[in-house]
Amino acid sequence: MSSSESFKNLLMGWRHHLHQHPETGFEEYKTAEFVTQTLLDMGLEVTTGIGGTGLIASISRGASNKAIAIRADMDALNICEASNERYYASQHQGKMHACGHDGHMAMVLGAAKLLTDNPDFDGTVRFLFQPAEEHGRGAKAMMADRVFERFPVDAIFGGHNMPGIPLGTIATRPGGIMAS
C-alpha cells in the first residue's frame, strides 16, 4: 500500500469513527477525548476544556513568531440518519454528523499528522477544535475563555466541505468567508 493510500485510509478511519459517535453542542465529551488522544499520539501537547468541550494543540518550528490556526467544528445535529446501511452509520439515535463536521475534524487531524511527520515550516500552527458551532455559541464560549489571549494567532483557516465542487478544488476569497 502506498503512503498516500495509507494516509487516505487513516483519514477515512478517523472520519468514520467520528461519524459513528456524533455529539451535539457542548456535549462533545467523547469527541474531544478521541481528538485529544489522536493529537497526543502525534506527540502534540493538548489543552482541553476551552469554552466547554473545545480544545487546541500547537506545533512550533523554526524561529518565526508568526502563528496560524486551523479550525474544525466538532458538533453534530439532532437528526436521524436515514441510511443505516453504512457500517459507519451513527450509533446514537437521533444524532448525526449531517453537516460534515466529522470530515472537518478528520481534515484538521490530517493536517496535524502531515505537519508532525514533516515539520518543514517556520512558525506555529495551532489546531483548534470548536464545540457548538451549529447553534452559534461555541466560538463565543471559546473567546470568553480567552482562547486567543492564551493561544495568539495571526490568521485562522477553517475548511468546510461543499457538495458540488469538483474533487481537488478549493474555493476561497480574501477576507472572511463562512464566518458566522
Side-chain angles (χ1 to χ4, degrees):
M1 182 183 304
S2 73
S3 63
S4 64
E5 188 71 20
S6 177
F7 185 64
K8 176 184 167 187
N9 289 337
L10 182 64
L11 292 174
M12 284 177 38
W14 289 334
R15 182 188 162 261
H16 289 171
H17 172 83
L18 291 162
H19 189 88
Q20 286 180 302
H21 306 283
E23 297 173 297
T24 53
F26 295 125
E27 297 174 354
E28 307 96 336
Y29 298 106
K30 296 284 186 194
T31 301
E33 286 176 21
F34 176 83
V35 170
T36 296
Q37 189 57 57
T38 303
L39 293 166
L40 289 171
D41 290 346
M42 293 178 205
L44 295 173
E45 186 174 311
V46 182
T47 302
T48 60
I50 303 172
T53 51
L55 61 107
I56 196 164
S58 303
I59 181 172
S60 297
R61 296 292 184 266
S64 176
N65 63 354
K66 297 290 184 184
I68 65 164
I70 305 173
R71 177 194 160 279
D73 306 312
M74 296 169 54
D75 57 330
L77 294 165
N78 288 313
I79 295 176
C80 289
E81 186 157 9
S83 178
N84 292 325
E85 300 88 44
R86 288 188 214 93
Y87 73 89
Y88 59 90
S90 172
Q91 295 179 4
H92 301 272
Q93 187 63 29
K95 296 180 189 288
M96 179 188 175
H97 276 295
C99 197
H101 295 178
D102 50 344
H104 299 179
M105 290 181 282
M107 288 187 286
V108 175
L109 289 171
K113 178 74 172 148
L114 289 173
L115 289 171
T116 56
D117 287 353
N118 306 290
D120 187 19
F121 62 93
D122 189 17
T124 298
V125 180
R126 302 193 193 285
F127 307 99
L128 189 149
F129 292 82
Q130 178 197 312
E133 182 271 342
E134 290 296 348
H135 52 62
R137 296 190 319 245
K140 290 177 184 175
M142 290 187 85
M143 289 186 292
D145 215 358
R146 304 185 47 196
V147 67
F148 297 121
E149 287 82 11
R150 296 164 59 193
F151 304 94
V153 296
D154 297 296
I156 300 174
F157 300 91
H160 201 290
N161 54 338
M162 189 167 190
I165 291 182
L167 181 64
T169 302
I170 296 174
T172 190
R173 68 170 190 239
I177 183 172
M178 301 179 92
S180 63

